[in-house]
Amino acid sequence: MFAVALLVAGTTMLAVGPAAASGVACGDVVSVDTTLTSDLVDCPDIGLVIGANDITLDLNGHTIDGDGTSPVTCPVQGRVCDVGVDNSAGHDGVTIQGGAIQQFNAGVLVSGGADGNRLRRLTIAQTTSEAILVVDSAHTVIEGNTMTDPGITAVVVLESSDALVTRNAASGSTGYAMFLDADHSVIEHNALDAGEHGFAVGGSGTTVRRNVVSDSGGGIDVNDEASGIRVEENELRRVGDGIIVGVASDTLVRRNVVDAVGGGERGGFGIILDGSVRSTVARNAVHATGNGPAIYVAHLDAASAPRDNHVTHNHATSQHADGILVDPDATGTALSGNVAVNSGDDGIDVDAPGTTLTGNLAAHNHDLGIEAVAGVVDGGGNRAGGNGNPAQCTNISCS
């Protein structure tokens, strides 16, 4: 469960009149198009509050600066506090762009049913909880922002739909760098590094593509109960675990590069399907340097075993474990057209009867090429050679 850390006070809303660009001060409500002409420094609570639909707040290269201290209780009844720019009133069509926000609990807040907000070209740093928090909103665009030391999470999108999160950079988060539980959204071309984790994605119909995660504790997690998530063409390098799919359905994991996962005290799974249903793992290149398999159809933490998953045309290598591993209670798994080479144990290890193996190649692995239990289904065309165990394969025919 993801906890949103945000301070909220009682029930009465403060009313502050609209401010002209030349006289904007900390805590003012902005109700017209506004361009900052100077920095706002040491704001003790709120930087600025959005007060109308269809306006642009242009920071114009200036900084909205908090005082770096989160109040124990909010000083204004009925309003969130310690936020750089606050659109918790849910105004539509708002653009916030072009400057820096720093030293608040949250940098920007959009909630209250807001539609069509755009957060662009912001530099957000030294927040306590989140750089950007979007809740109960639709069609939010989060584009071209740089977030450094954002606290727990750089970008959080919850209970929302049709968000676009693109071309952002985030570093130094202490939790997930980006946590999105949103429907029909797109997360693309973002760069995450030096965080505790990378992406966590839930909801339905969301695409995660062409992102880069490096030097972090984790790569991409697909949350339990998610459906129809597409994870495509991402690069994950020097992370603890690469891609983890939980008890989610109809996930597509395709054409990702997962390199140098694990090592030391950091994870070590390349791609893991832990209880997932009807997932397809296709055409990925996975190199695990930790203690886990490169691709693992698993029943570890999940409440139920994985079923009806297809692992096809991947290139898999694990330095210390199997290239591809299927747990004993996985059902309906199909492995086809995979290349498993140079792994520290078996190339492919199938412990689940009923798994179908077709057209796989396993070569130059430390032990067997394909180790299969009795009861696997031999779909034909499997090959093995140059493996450490002269048997090459068990319970399946290999040429």
Side-chain angles (χ1 to χ4, degrees):
M1 179 178 292
F2 183 84
V4 176
L6 196 64
L7 297 171
V8 184
T11 57
T12 305
M13 180 67 186
L14 176 70
V16 179
S22 59
V24 173
C26 294
D28 281 352
V29 175
V30 176
S31 299
V32 295
D33 288 344
T34 299
T35 301
L36 296 190
T37 58
S38 62
D39 297 341
L40 303 182
V41 180
D42 288 335
C43 296
D45 176 18
I46 295 289
L48 294 172
V49 178
I50 300 299
N53 295 338
D54 302 316
I55 64 170
T56 295
L57 172 60
D58 189 346
L59 276 58
N60 191 30
H62 292 290
T63 298
I64 301 175
D65 174 57
D67 62 4
T69 301
S70 295
V72 176
T73 60
C74 290
V76 178
Q77 295 264 334
R79 194 184 71 189
V80 298
C81 60
D82 207 29
V83 175
V85 179
D86 172 18
N87 187 16
S88 59
H91 292 292
D92 299 337
V94 174
T95 298
I96 304 165
Q97 65 182 21
I101 301 170
Q102 63 187 29
Q103 293 192 315
F104 292 94
N105 185 54
V108 180
L109 169 63
V110 178
S111 62
D115 189 281
N117 279 223
R118 297 177 64 88
L119 315 177
R120 304 171 59 242
R121 295 184 286 107
L122 300 169
T123 299
I124 304 176
Q126 300 172 21
T127 49
T128 307
S129 295
E130 306 93 10
I132 294 172
L133 173 59
V134 177
V135 183
D136 184 27
S137 301
H139 304 102
T140 305
V141 176
I142 302 170
E143 179 181 12
N145 304 288
T146 300
M147 294 155 284
T148 305
D149 296 328
I152 300 170
T153 304
V155 176
V156 179
V157 182
L158 300 175
E159 301 172 8
S160 299
S161 66
D162 303 289
L164 173 62
V165 182
T166 182
R167 301 188 185 281
N168 302 283
S171 63
S173 60
T174 61
Y176 285 101
M178 294 190 178
F179 189 102
L180 296 99
D181 196 347
D183 297 333
H184 310 296
S185 297
V186 175
I187 307 160
E188 63 181 4
H189 299 294
N190 301 285
L192 312 181
D193 77 298
E196 186 65 25
H197 298 286
F199 295 94
V201 184
S204 64
T206 288
T207 297
V208 185
R209 67 185 173 210
R210 298 177 185 171
N211 302 283
V212 177
V213 183
S214 60
D215 299 299
S216 298
I220 300 172
D221 290 3
V222 178
N223 297 339
D224 290 351
E225 300 183 9
S227 64
I229 305 297
R230 301 173 69 94
V231 180
E232 300 180 286
E233 300 181 47
N234 301 282
E235 293 187 20
L236 313 177
R237 300 185 185 279
R238 301 179 303 281
V239 298
D241 292 318
I243 299 171
I244 299 176
V245 183
V247 188
S249 60
D250 302 299
T251 306
L252 174 63
V253 180
R254 181 171 64 182
R255 295 188 182 278
N256 300 282
V257 174
V258 183
D259 187 33
V261 293
E265 296 181 354
R266 301 189 309 168
F269 300 114
I271 298 173
I272 179 171
L273 308 179
D274 187 9
S276 68
V277 178
R278 296 188 302 275
S279 290
T280 298
V281 178
R283 301 187 183 280
N284 302 282
V286 187
H287 179 207
T289 53
N291 294 322
I295 299 174
Y296 188 11
V297 183
H299 188 191
L300 295 177
D301 299 325
S304 55
R307 59 183 174 86
D308 302 326
N309 297 294
H310 189 193
V311 178
T312 180
H313 290 92
N314 301 281
H315 191 285
T317 299
S318 174
Q319 185 170 329
H320 300 292
D322 301 314
I324 299 173
L325 174 62
V326 181
D327 267 357
D329 54 353
T331 59
T333 306
L335 308 180
S336 64
N338 300 287
V339 176
V341 295
N342 299 318
S343 288
D345 197 353
D346 301 320
I348 299 173
D349 185 345
V350 179
D351 295 327
T355 301
T356 301
L357 290 91
T358 306
N360 301 284
L361 169 64
H364 305 293
N365 299 287
H366 182 73
D367 194 5
L368 287 159
I370 300 176
E371 180 177 1
V373 296
V376 299
V377 178
D378 188 346
N382 297 290
R383 294 174 292 156
N387 299 289
N389 191 321
Q392 301 299 322
C393 297
T394 62
N395 292 306
I396 198 166
S397 176
C398 291
S399 60

